[in-house]
Amino acid sequence: MTSPEHQSPDPEPTKPTGPAEPQYQDRIYRSPAGLVGGVLLLAVMGWLGVDAVFAGEGRTPWLALAAMLFLVPLVVAYTLRPAVSVNDDRLRVRNPFRVIVLPWGQVASLRSGFTNEVFTESGAKYQLWALPVSLRARSKAHRQEARAAAQAARGGGRGGRGAEGLTEGPRRHESDRAMDEMRELHERRQGAEAAQGEVTVRWAYEIAAPAVAGAVLLAVLFAVG
């Protein structure tokens, strides 16, 4: 976040009232592990698929093309596509097959369990695919917090290093920190006039259509074979 610019010593005229500029201009959260895994899977599939198309015999090239048409959209949907973007007015969730736009006024809560989820005022629930939960990182953070509390109870350890470690706090997983930031923004903005509206859901037909076409082509090839 950029620091505010220095104002001139002369008083500035009062600016007209209106919607404030968002503090968060589409801050985007994604899973680095998902991006890396998706790229690697696509590279392997492309290598094997192209080799089968140009070097295969009989029905092998057609099967390879159908398999890639079916699998590539699914890999993209579950690894490269998921993203969560936020600003002062709304939360935009891009899941494998849907895009959900939720104004902050329609968000009831953001919850973290085995998955990260957002609940609307109407009771609908949407999973945040771009923010996977790491139970291992969460357990490690809890252990670090317990050790820091124990050191503080013993008087801060040697040379006050325990107190310093307690001040720094445990290292939390990126998804947990992202959820904390979104909860804070939701608390500040849920009553704002610009953060009101209706929840919209759009299906990702550009992902579903080629996957369905590939599945149908695979079924036909296996049926006639």
Side-chain angles (χ1 to χ4, degrees):
M1 187 180 299
T2 57
S3 58
E5 297 180 358
H6 296 288
Q7 297 182 353
S8 61
D10 298 330
E12 294 183 355
T14 304
K15 296 182 179 179
T17 59
E21 182 181 354
Q23 180 181 357
Y24 293 101
Q25 297 189 3
D26 286 330
R27 174 176 293 186
I28 300 175
Y29 301 98
R30 308 187 74 174
S31 171
L35 295 175
V36 173
V39 171
L40 292 177
L41 281 175
L42 290 176
V44 172
M45 290 170 54
W47 173 47
L48 295 176
V50 171
D51 182 70
V53 168
F54 288 99
E57 298 178 354
R59 295 189 309 150
T60 301
W62 290 104
L63 287 172
L65 286 174
M68 286 194 295
L69 185 61
F70 172 63
L71 293 175
V72 168
L74 295 181
V75 172
V76 171
Y78 285 98
T79 60
L80 305 183
R81 177 178 168 82
V84 174
S85 60
V86 300
N87 60 28
D88 273 3
D89 297 335
R90 56 101 180 106
L91 167 68
R92 184 175 184 269
V93 181
R94 192 172 69 190
N95 281 343
F97 297 104
R98 291 188 298 181
V99 176
I100 307 102
V101 179
L102 306 102
W104 287 120
Q106 291 292 332
V107 174
S109 62
L110 291 145
R111 304 179 191 176
S112 298
F114 292 104
T115 59
N116 289 315
E117 301 164 338
V118 56
F119 289 79
T120 67
E121 294 289 349
S122 62
K125 178 181 71 173
Y126 302 102
Q127 184 175 344
L128 307 181
W129 283 82
L131 298 174
V133 171
S134 174
L135 297 179
R136 179 181 179 184
R138 187 174 294 173
S139 299
K140 182 178 180 180
H142 289 329
R143 291 195 300 270
Q144 290 178 348
E145 187 176 15
R147 285 198 298 267
Q151 289 179 356
R154 292 195 301 266
R158 293 184 304 225
R161 295 184 61 183
E164 181 182 353
L166 183 61
T167 303
E168 293 178 356
R171 291 182 57 86
R172 305 184 67 200
H173 192 258
E174 290 83 356
S175 63
D176 290 332
R177 293 199 298 267
M179 292 293 288
D180 289 341
E181 292 175 2
M182 288 190 290
R183 289 190 188 101
E184 180 184 354
L185 185 58
H186 170 238
E187 291 176 359
R188 289 194 293 107
R189 295 292 298 173
Q190 61 180 334
E193 181 179 356
Q196 308 305 312
E198 297 296 328
V199 177
T200 61
V201 179
R202 182 182 69 83
W203 288 91
Y205 296 105
E206 68 276 10
I207 296 292
V212 171
V216 171
L217 183 56
L218 276 175
V220 171
L221 289 174
F222 281 119
V224 301

